[in-house]
Amino acid sequence: MDNISYVLYLCFFIPMVMSFLVLERRSRLVVGYILIGTTVCLFVSEVNGSLYELIGRKDMIYFCTTISPITEEIVKALPILFYAFFVSNNRLKIVQIAFSLGLGFAILENMIMLTQNLQDIDVTWSLVRGFGAGLMHSVCTMTVGIGFSFVRKRRKLFYSGTISLLMLAITYHAIYNTIVMSNYKYWGFALPLSTYIPIIIFEHRKRKQARTQNKKENKVAQVN
């Protein structure tokens, strides 16, 4: 990987780490997983670079639609799996850190892509990358996080459920890459947005139901 990738990483990472001194605990968790996402992006870029060299730099389309979705989604899922298994199975927190990790990954990836295509970019490019690849990575990790919060509490489903979630994220990622590298690339950029909106609606309803349930429980407790 070019040194510019490490420069971009450090320019983003250092001030974000310094913000920990003024952030509250919940905010530090979100920012921390954004930084983990950028670190994962840097690591996966090295792995993908080595794998691309291994196949002899023969077919970038094949690599981006077959190999890179596997490496990226597996490595992105590991920090989420660690949090869900060893730290907390709180559904809301898992979803938040999962989205944050995908967001951090997408931020650094877009920054790297920016430096590699300086002659061909404009505002439209930034909008496409933001709503396309930016949301795609976040949707994949958030979906995995939602699934982890479910299978974490059901040990019989944990292993099969985890593998299924990874396969779902990998397939979604591969479909996105396939479409954006074809003549229908703008449909590919619309795919993450059309997926993101239903997930957000679903999450808001779940949170509303949880708040309503908590209020009922508090009223019952006060009466007793």
Side-chain angles (χ1 to χ4, degrees), residues 26 41 76 85 103 111 123 135 147 166 175 183 192 223-224:
R26 181 177 298 180
C41 180
K76 282 196 300 178
F85 196 77
L103 181 63
M111 291 167 66
V123 174
L135 271 183
L166 288 176
I175 291 172
N183 294 328
V223 171
N224 293 335

Side-chain angles (χ1 to χ4, degrees), residues 72-73 76 102-107 109-111 113 125-141 172-173 176-177 180 185 188-193:
E72 291 179 15
E73 295 308 326
K76 282 196 300 178
L103 181 63
F105 189 103
I107 288 172
E109 183 181 73
N110 283 345
M111 291 167 66
M113 291 291 292
W125 182 92
S126 64
L127 292 173
V128 167
R129 288 295 304 181
F131 286 108
L135 271 183
M136 183 273 293
H137 285 295
S138 299
V139 165
C140 284
T141 51
Y172 184 94
H173 191 155
Y176 170 82
N177 284 358
V180 298
K185 59 182 179 180
F189 296 134
L191 176 63
L193 188 61

